[in-house]
Amino acid sequence: MPVVGTEKLIALQQKPEGIRNDHGKTSLTDALLATNGIISPKLAGKIRYLDSRPDEQLRGITMESSAISLYFSMLRRSQPAEAPAQREYLINLIDSPGHIDFSSEVSTASRLCDGALVLVDAVEGVCSQTVTVLRQTWIEHLQPLLVINKLDRLITELRMSPGEAYAHLSKLLEQVNAVVGSFFQGERMEEDLKWRERVEERVAATAAKEQAREAKRAVPTSPGEEADEIESTTGNMAGTFEEKDDEDIYFAPEKNNVIFSSAVDGWAFSVKQFAALYEKKLGIKTSVLEKILWGDYYLDPKTKRVLGQKHLKGRPLKPMFVQLVLETVWAVYEATTGGSQGSRAGNPTMLEKITKSLSITLPPHILRSKDPRAILVAVFATWLPLSVAVLVSVIEQLPSPSTAQASRLPALIDASPGAKQVDPRVRDAMVTLRAEKNEPVVVYVSKMVAIPESELPENRRRGGGLSAEEARELARKKRAEIARARAQAQANGAAAPDAVTAITDALGHAHLDLEETDGDVVSEEETSPHREHLVGFARIYSGTLSVGDQVYVLRPKFTPAAPHAHPRPRQVVVTALYLLMGRGLEPLQSVPAGVVFGIAGLQGHVLKTGTLCSQLEGGVNLAGVNMASQPIVRVALEPVNPSDLDKMIRGIQLLVQSDPCAEYEVLESGEHVILTAGELHLERCLKDLRERFAQCEIQAGEPLVPYRETIVSAAEMAPPRERDQPRGLVHGMTSSKQVTVRLRVRPLPATVTAFLEKHSAAIKRLYSENRAKEASGQAETAETDEDIVGEEEDSRGDGGSQILSPTEFKHELSAAFEQAETDRETWAGAVDQIVAFGPRRVGPNVLIDGTTQGCCRRFLGTSDSGGADVDHAARETSSDVLHARDFSDKISYAFQLATAQGPLCHEPMTGVAVILEDVIIAVSSAEDDTSSARDHLGRLTGEVIKTVRDSIRLGFLDWSPRLLLAMYSCEIQASTDVLGRVYAVLTRRRGRILSEALKEGTAYFTIQALLPVAESFGFSDEMRKRTSGAASPQLIFQGFEMLDQDPNWVPFTEEEMEDLGQHADRENVAKRYMDAVRARKGLFVTGRKLVKDAEKQKTLKR
């Protein structure tokens, strides 16, 4: 294959209509790289070129997204009547991981692309990761191209006949289309609901206007006119709602958006290729054959006519796809490797017949080969090369950047923060892909990639000598310098010695970039080849970006409505631009719109993602990407040598910037914790820390699994704390006995808890709006700001749920309270009395003000403020009297503390309602006549916070407490031989089987199960060992699930004591989890024996 130079690729960047940006898989990508001469065709599918990490090669999986630019040319007709002309194309290909732990890499790569190659295993079919990738392409409005890979397994492993394979592929295609259809249906239902709500609002507004006119005794409107007006309003609204056609979203081979392939054997085809092949033989046009080669169409062997299913009249004809396509492929396998017969010997006579019919000539040394696969690969490489089928389909089916941005970007811009304030000039340049130098520059940086200093293009020569081209270029530069020096010397009339000096100086200045020429002293550490540099993985949407340009870095929270808000966006200088070529980088001077590239100079300015814009006012923020997976596994790290602590912290910060899913936090105990998506992701992060970023020995502790604490009303509970009082009621009195608080703790209805968990982003926005409306800030505001910002901003990671408006939020929350199955009278009007949510002011717990005087400020701002205003006026006029309202912020802060650390094991609460019933103040100034009662407020602040917090915890324990476990959704594909061992491993780790289904036409079962995260460490390795590698699980974080067991339960009835004994022989799993967390946090563990059999203990001396 000819080697394509980088100059050719750079030149093609200037032609956006010939650019395609998409991402695919590693083995298939190897075949595409071979077309550019990057790797040998014989190594395609084996070398895994884009898996540049050693652990990727060792494990055989991709862990990081890699990009490469490919050149492809083909003959195309601009008009049907014209002769075909050669067209050149640039394909920016991004290879993304398939493992569920690295789904964030897929999310970050999708924003850079215009299309996607979605690979589906022909045997395993649609799995959880397939659904995740299809959902990401749907959210990002990418044009997908389906590749059904590993068709060779249907022949060699499952021994299917062509007819059985056709039925299997048809069902597989239906499954993929069902997933895409579910996305379309969900979107249409949501749009229909919003449209109906708008219609109802317009109708209600019209009716309200009519009532207002009647109230003012205006000119009366006849009922007919009123009905006509309402009907016209509804009709106008109905006219704005258009039913979208879903025909174009599905995969169908006749549309040429489906490719059938076998990457390991190097072949692939689309229906269009076989239509062109059989056009002359059947005498049917290619355009017609494309539509009938797939589906229930049959070829009559006598008349050579195509029949539909209803015209078969009972004749056992095969579908055309089986007869003309699959049987030919099956025949090649049978002639070379024995195919589905299982014999390793081929059929030379059949092979010769096939090669003649296909007009294929094989080299003699291939025919003499004793390896049947060598002959098989040679036949397919000549007949159905994988690269041709894939690249031609990519060019014909996937859009160019100009077409894709015109359809994709309007929706992305409208969904960005402050979309209405975006400069129309910026919007127009992005949508129409304007690449002129004077147009505004908009660049989206999807992630930061860590590159060793030795692999940067400017430092690549340090490891060896110059190539021939580099030597010629260096000699040309030297000759030019000498010529300029001589010309300058002659012009100045300088003597010969001066000319020689000038020439010597010129030679001295012609350097190899091996040393700094600015005179600065560079330390050895800064020039170390092991030093990591962060390069942005980016795409430019408009304008042209050049080295040395200055652009603004817009953070993910930037909004054009307040462009100069703190922190003000910084302006950075672009130090270098790179062409991404897989394992290497090539320098660029400028990049036009529509190109995927690397950018340097952003280190310390972009954390994970960001937007670069040439203007601040009216800039657009594109940095809102929905991550497919959120980090759930937390591990505390510490260096083996304490003196390496600073190196470890710097290394973790570099890791967080270069990994889109990893997060870093420092606990109150001082522990340095990293959060990762799974066990494999954690292993990769630790390896990078030790070998690349920190370069020191680091030891990791036991994984820190998150839990949640809640309460339920169980059938068997201990009697309430206070007799003749409702359960959960607590009277709390401060240590000085000057303030008494009466509150009641209750479990929230399940519907309310689920609603609050889903709409935490709406709660956070409501809180921000309330703070903005306040004239003066409160003392605790500064303390809680960071908590709110840090609270799962990724809580919208469930697919980006729409943020509700305050009116919608209140309406839906009231509906959730009305759905409560019990105690509906308790929750009546509770929405208007909500004071705060917690923990961190956005959690699924509520503080309700049930006092008669309304001592706390209502969150939704709908409280009856009359009493509060009177109370506030009285407080202003008399500074000697303390009121309950003075302690409202202290009570709210105590609620945040209590819900952030529950009484079981200091884990956050969920589903708890705290109803404040009364606040009694008995402050007297008799002890000190010179001080007023309000002077005691500072001392009482701490007492009130502690009292309320402890009271909430006591009320929590008055119910039956429960732990909520973090759960993984586990999908396993296994054969019947190892099914029993799979169940044994799941049962031992407290997994719960949800479903078990046999894939039709195969011997594989698909098992869906739930597995606690606490039991998942080492689960994948154990599963592979027990099943000898025949089963491998996919783990996806599902959420939290209640463990229906009281951790504080002990047998106390006579029957329980008799059946279980005094200490309960049955293990309390909830108590085991709780004690493990308490021991890790240094809390007291009830019932743990520090010394057992003390009389048998021995000292070291004895």
Side-chain angles (χ1 to χ4, degrees):
M1 294 292 177
V3 179
V4 180
T6 56
E7 297 82 4
K8 188 75 173 178
L9 301 176
I10 296 173
L12 288 175
Q13 288 182 348
Q14 307 297 328
K15 303 177 181 178
E17 68 279 358
I19 298 177
R20 300 294 185 274
N21 300 314
D22 66 317
H23 61 97
K25 295 297 296 177
T26 311
S27 298
L28 182 138
T29 304
D30 276 359
L32 307 183
L33 300 181
T35 62
N36 280 227
I38 298 175
I39 62 174
S40 169
K42 296 181 180 179
L43 298 177
K46 302 174 184 177
I47 193 173
R48 301 175 62 88
Y49 180 80
L50 291 184
D51 285 348
S52 56
R53 296 170 54 96
D55 48 355
E56 289 179 328
Q57 292 286 344
L58 183 63
R59 290 180 175 271
I61 62 173
T62 304
M63 297 184 183
E64 288 183 351
S65 297
S66 301
I68 195 165
S69 297
L70 301 177
Y71 166 82
F72 187 69
S73 64
M74 60 183 293
L75 295 175
R76 297 196 69 180
R77 302 176 188 267
S78 56
Q79 297 293 335
E82 295 182 1
Q86 185 175 7
R87 299 280 299 274
E88 296 179 330
Y89 296 92
L90 173 67
I91 299 175
N92 295 319
L93 186 67
I94 301 176
D95 176 37
S96 54
H99 196 281
I100 198 68
D101 276 11
F102 308 105
S103 296
S104 57
E105 295 281 349
V106 181
S107 304
T108 55
S110 61
R111 181 60 63 90
L112 304 179
C113 301
D114 300 321
L117 292 174
V118 180
L119 267 71
V120 177
D121 194 311
V123 176
E124 296 180 359
V126 177
C127 59
S128 57
Q129 184 65 354
T130 309
V131 178
T132 302
V133 172
L134 287 173
R135 181 182 293 110
Q136 195 64 37
T137 60
W138 180 267
I139 292 173
E140 293 292 335
H141 305 285
L142 300 181
Q143 181 70 35
L145 189 63
L146 181 65
V147 180
I148 301 178
N149 195 24
K150 300 185 182 179
L151 257 69
D152 58 288
R153 296 182 63 189
L154 302 181
I155 307 173
T156 58
E157 289 185 22
L158 302 183
R159 317 270 185 209
M160 286 185 176
S161 65
E164 293 171 342
Y166 173 71
H168 179 77
L169 293 174
S170 300
K171 292 177 181 177
L172 176 58
L173 204 56
E174 290 176 2
Q175 293 174 1
V176 177
N177 285 332
V179 174
V180 178
S182 65
F183 300 152
F184 176 81
Q185 188 68 20
E187 187 177 274
R188 298 305 295 158
M189 289 177 64
E190 185 176 354
E191 291 178 358
D192 181 65
L193 179 62
K194 292 180 180 178
W195 174 78
R196 293 180 184 276
E197 290 177 351
R198 289 197 299 268
V199 170
E200 292 175 358
E201 290 176 0
R202 292 286 296 272
V203 172
T206 304
K209 288 181 181 179
E210 292 301 324
Q211 291 178 1
R213 289 175 184 173
E214 292 177 1
K216 294 179 180 179
R217 295 183 178 180
V219 178
T221 304
S222 63
E225 293 177 357
E226 180 180 354
D228 291 341
E229 185 176 352
I230 294 176
E231 184 178 354
S232 64
T233 303
T234 309
N236 292 336
M237 290 303 298
T240 61
F241 183 76
E242 298 178 359
E243 285 292 344
K244 294 182 181 178
D245 187 11
D246 62 345
E247 182 181 357
D248 296 334
I249 68 173
Y250 296 115
F251 298 104
E254 60 268 21
K255 297 179 182 177
N256 291 310
N257 59 2
V258 179
I259 299 175
F260 304 91
S261 74
S262 170
V264 69
D265 291 336
W267 59 267
F269 65 87
S270 62
V271 169
K272 187 175 183 178
Q273 287 179 266
F274 276 91
L277 182 66
Y278 286 108
E279 180 182 16
K280 293 182 180 179
K281 293 183 179 181
L282 299 179
I284 304 175
K285 292 183 178 180
T286 304
S287 58
V288 178
L289 268 178
E290 289 178 14
K291 300 178 181 179
I292 61 177
L293 264 182
W294 177 272
D296 294 331
Y297 298 99
Y298 305 85
L299 182 66
D300 191 336
K302 296 181 180 179
T303 62
K304 299 297 182 181
R305 295 182 59 187
V306 178
L307 305 176
Q309 191 171 15
K310 61 181 180 180
H311 298 294
L312 285 180
K313 298 179 181 179
R315 286 185 292 177
L317 297 181
K318 300 176 182 177
M320 292 182 65
F321 190 78
V322 175
Q323 185 178 356
L324 302 179
V325 179
L326 293 185
E327 286 187 350
T328 311
V329 175
W330 259 244
V332 174
Y333 273 90
E334 188 174 348
T336 53
T337 62
S340 58
Q341 304 300 324
S343 61
R344 294 291 297 168
N347 189 337
T349 306
M350 182 185 293
L351 177 63
E352 184 179 359
K353 183 179 179 182
I354 291 174
T355 53
K356 285 184 178 180
S357 63
L358 296 176
S359 302
I360 295 175
T361 303
L362 297 179
H365 72 277
I366 294 293
L367 293 173
R368 292 193 299 266
S369 175
K370 295 182 179 181
D371 184 9
R373 286 204 72 255
I375 304 176
L376 173 73
V377 172
V379 171
F380 278 121
T382 310
W383 178 36
L384 298 174
L386 183 146
S387 57
V388 173
V390 173
L391 293 178
V392 169
S393 297
V394 164
I395 290 170
E396 293 183 348
Q397 298 298 321
L398 301 186
S400 64
S402 56
T403 306
Q405 290 189 195
S407 59
R408 287 183 63 208
L409 286 190
L412 293 179
I413 295 174
D414 291 340
S416 65
K420 294 182 179 179
Q421 282 75 30
V422 174
D423 189 347
R425 184 165 170 262
V426 173
R427 183 188 184 96
D428 184 60
M430 294 175 64
V431 173
T432 58
L433 191 75
R434 295 186 179 176
E436 292 78 11
K437 189 65 177 177
N438 58 348
E439 294 293 337
V441 175
V442 177
V443 177
Y444 171 67
V445 182
S446 70
K447 68 170 186 174
M448 302 296 289
V449 183
I451 305 293
E453 188 171 16
S454 59
E455 295 184 10
L456 293 176
E458 54 266 26
N459 303 324
R460 198 177 299 155
R461 303 193 192 99
R462 295 181 180 180
L466 299 176
S467 65
E469 290 188 4
E470 290 172 334
R472 284 194 292 270
E473 180 67 18
L474 180 62
R476 187 189 64 78
K477 289 182 178 179
K478 288 184 177 181
R479 287 195 296 270
E481 290 285 346
I482 293 174
R484 281 196 297 270
R486 286 176 176 173
Q488 184 178 3
Q490 292 175 359
N492 296 335
D498 296 332
V500 173
T501 304
I503 294 172
T504 307
D505 294 340
L507 289 174
H509 287 301
H511 56 85
L512 298 178
D513 292 335
L514 297 180
E515 56 183 341
E516 298 292 337
T517 58
D518 55 0
D520 295 340
V521 179
V522 182
S523 65
E524 182 180 355
E525 181 181 356
E526 292 181 353
T527 58
S528 169
H530 301 293
R531 185 185 173 203
E532 298 285 340
H533 289 261
L534 293 178
V535 174
F537 194 21
R539 170 171 174 169
I540 180 170
Y541 285 98
S542 65
T544 298
L545 187 66
S546 303
V547 176
D549 287 353
Q550 291 186 346
V551 291
Y552 289 98
V553 178
L554 310 183
R555 303 290 179 88
K557 295 182 181 180
F558 171 83
T559 173
H564 300 282
H566 183 77
R568 192 176 186 274
R570 297 181 181 178
Q571 197 171 21
V572 298
V573 178
V574 178
T575 58
L577 298 172
Y578 302 109
L579 177 67
L580 303 173
M581 294 297 294
R583 303 183 181 186
L585 302 174
E586 296 295 336
L588 297 173
Q589 291 302 315
S590 64
V591 287
V595 174
V596 176
F597 63 100
I599 178 172
L602 305 180
Q603 186 166 351
H605 300 284
V606 175
L607 178 58
K608 291 182 181 292
T609 63
T611 308
L612 308 181
C613 194
S614 57
Q615 64 184 58
L616 196 56
E617 288 79 8
V620 62
N621 181 8
L622 300 175
V625 177
N626 297 310
M627 292 297 176
S629 62
Q630 301 301 330
I632 187 64
V633 179
R634 301 185 298 170
V635 172
L637 305 179
E638 63 177 358
V640 175
N641 186 355
S643 62
D644 293 334
L645 180 61
D646 291 339
K647 294 175 63 177
M648 185 192 77
I649 294 175
R650 286 196 300 268
I652 293 177
Q653 292 171 348
L654 272 175
L655 171 69
V656 170
Q657 291 185 64
S658 63
D659 193 305
C661 193
E663 295 182 7
Y664 166 57
E665 63 181 17
V666 181
L667 302 183
E668 295 179 356
S669 59
E671 292 178 294
H672 299 273
V673 175
I674 61 170
L675 288 80
T676 59
E679 192 174 2
L680 184 60
H681 187 211
L682 171 64
E683 185 177 336
R684 192 202 74 179
C685 290
L686 293 178
K687 180 180 176 64
D688 285 348
L689 264 181
R690 294 184 178 113
E691 298 179 1
R692 296 177 58 188
F693 300 124
Q695 296 182 10
C696 64
E697 286 298 320
I698 296 174
Q699 59 185 13
E702 291 295 323
L704 312 178
V705 180
Y707 294 89
R708 296 291 184 267
E709 301 180 17
T710 189
I711 51 177
V712 295
S713 178
E716 297 180 359
M717 290 189 294
R721 292 181 61 259
E722 300 185 15
R723 290 185 177 182
D724 303 329
Q725 294 290 339
R727 185 179 294 275
L729 183 66
V730 180
H731 291 81
M733 182 178 294
T734 60
S735 57
S736 62
K737 299 183 180 181
Q738 294 180 338
V739 180
T740 303
V741 178
R742 187 174 80 240
L743 55 84
R744 188 181 177 191
V745 178
R746 292 183 58 86
L748 269 177
T751 54
V752 178
T753 304
F755 175 81
L756 296 179
E757 288 176 344
K758 183 179 180 181
H759 297 285
S760 59
I763 300 174
K764 185 169 70 172
R765 190 176 72 171
L766 287 173
Y767 177 77
S768 300
E769 291 176 357
N770 289 345
R771 286 185 62 249
K773 293 177 182 177
E774 292 180 0
S776 59
Q778 297 180 354
E780 87 215 22
T781 302
E783 300 176 5
T784 57
D785 249 4
E786 294 299 324
D787 292 340
I788 300 164
V789 172
E791 174 62 23
E792 308 170 47
E793 192 164 328
D794 38 28
S795 60
R796 300 200 313 174
D798 55 353
S801 59
Q802 186 72 22
I803 299 181
L804 300 178
S805 65
T807 306
E808 293 173 337
F809 178 81
K810 180 183 176 183
H811 176 71
E812 295 191 17
L813 182 57
S814 301
F817 272 111
E818 291 174 0
Q819 295 175 9
E821 298 179 356
T822 58
D823 298 335
R824 293 191 178 182
E825 64 281 355
T826 304
W827 308 114
V831 175
D832 295 334
Q833 298 176 342
I834 292 178
V835 175
F837 299 90
R840 296 186 175 183
R841 300 191 181 272
V842 291
N845 306 285
V846 295
L847 174 62
I848 298 174
D849 183 6
T851 59
T852 56
Q853 67 270 28
C855 64
C856 295
R857 182 185 181 87
R858 309 300 166 85
F859 180 80
L860 295 176
T862 57
S863 62
D864 185 9
S865 60
D869 291 341
V870 172
D871 192 17
H872 182 70
R875 184 180 60 182
E876 293 296 328
T877 55
S878 176
S879 62
D880 294 336
V881 180
L882 281 178
H883 300 275
R885 192 175 181 84
D886 295 322
F887 297 99
S888 61
D889 55 340
K890 286 75 177 176
I891 295 173
S892 178
Y893 184 63
F895 168 76
Q896 303 297 334
L897 292 178
T899 52
Q901 294 184 338
L904 296 182
C905 50
H906 282 198
E907 291 291 323
M909 293 184 187
T910 183
V912 177
V914 179
I915 304 173
L916 182 65
E917 296 189 348
D918 197 8
V919 178
I920 303 173
I921 302 173
V923 178
S924 174
S925 58
E927 301 175 0
D928 187 2
D929 295 336
T930 60
S931 63
S932 65
R934 293 189 59 82
D935 294 335
H936 297 277
L937 183 60
R939 175 173 55 82
L940 290 175
T941 295
E943 294 184 11
V944 170
I945 291 175
K946 181 178 182 299
T947 301
V948 174
R949 183 196 62 186
D950 294 344
S951 300
I952 293 175
R953 291 179 176 176
L954 285 176
F956 182 96
L957 295 175
D958 207 12
W959 296 85
S960 184
R962 293 289 188 271
L963 279 180
L964 271 68
L965 308 183
M967 302 295 289
Y968 276 136
S969 172
C970 177
E971 181 178 299
I972 306 172
Q973 289 193 346
S975 62
T976 53
D977 301 337
V978 298
L979 207 57
R981 285 176 253 175
V982 170
Y983 284 163
V985 175
L986 280 171
T987 305
R988 185 162 49 252
R989 291 180 174 266
R990 298 187 55 78
R992 189 173 81 253
I993 308 296
L994 297 179
S995 65
E996 169 193 303
L998 176 65
K999 282 190 172 292
E1000 295 185 17
T1002 70
Y1004 291 92
F1005 280 85
T1006 300
I1007 304 164
Q1008 298 282 350
L1010 285 178
L1011 183 73
V1013 175
E1015 305 286 352
S1016 67
F1017 302 103
F1019 172 72
S1020 299
D1021 290 339
E1022 183 182 1
M1023 181 68 72
R1024 283 191 286 266
K1025 289 177 183 177
R1026 295 287 182 182
T1027 61
S1028 301
S1032 182
Q1034 288 270 18
L1035 300 176
I1036 307 174
F1037 179 63
Q1038 186 74 11
F1040 290 89
E1041 184 180 89
M1042 182 187 299
L1043 177 60
D1044 196 11
Q1045 195 173 13
D1046 189 347
N1048 297 327
W1049 179 85
V1050 291
F1052 60 89
T1053 64
E1054 292 184 4
E1055 292 82 0
E1056 292 171 348
M1057 296 279 286
E1058 183 177 350
D1059 293 342
L1060 303 174
Q1062 184 176 0
H1063 299 290
D1065 299 332
R1066 183 182 63 186
E1067 182 188 19
N1068 190 330
V1069 180
K1071 179 174 174 55
R1072 174 162 61 86
Y1073 288 144
M1074 181 184 73
D1075 289 348
V1077 177
R1078 292 184 69 89
R1080 174 173 57 82
K1081 293 184 176 181
L1083 304 174
F1084 177 71
V1085 179
T1086 306
R1088 183 175 63 173
K1089 292 185 178 181
L1090 299 178
V1091 177
K1092 186 178 181 181
D1093 298 329
E1095 68 278 4
K1096 297 181 181 180
Q1097 303 296 318
K1098 294 182 179 180
T1099 63
L1100 292 176
K1101 291 183 179 181
R1102 296 182 182 177

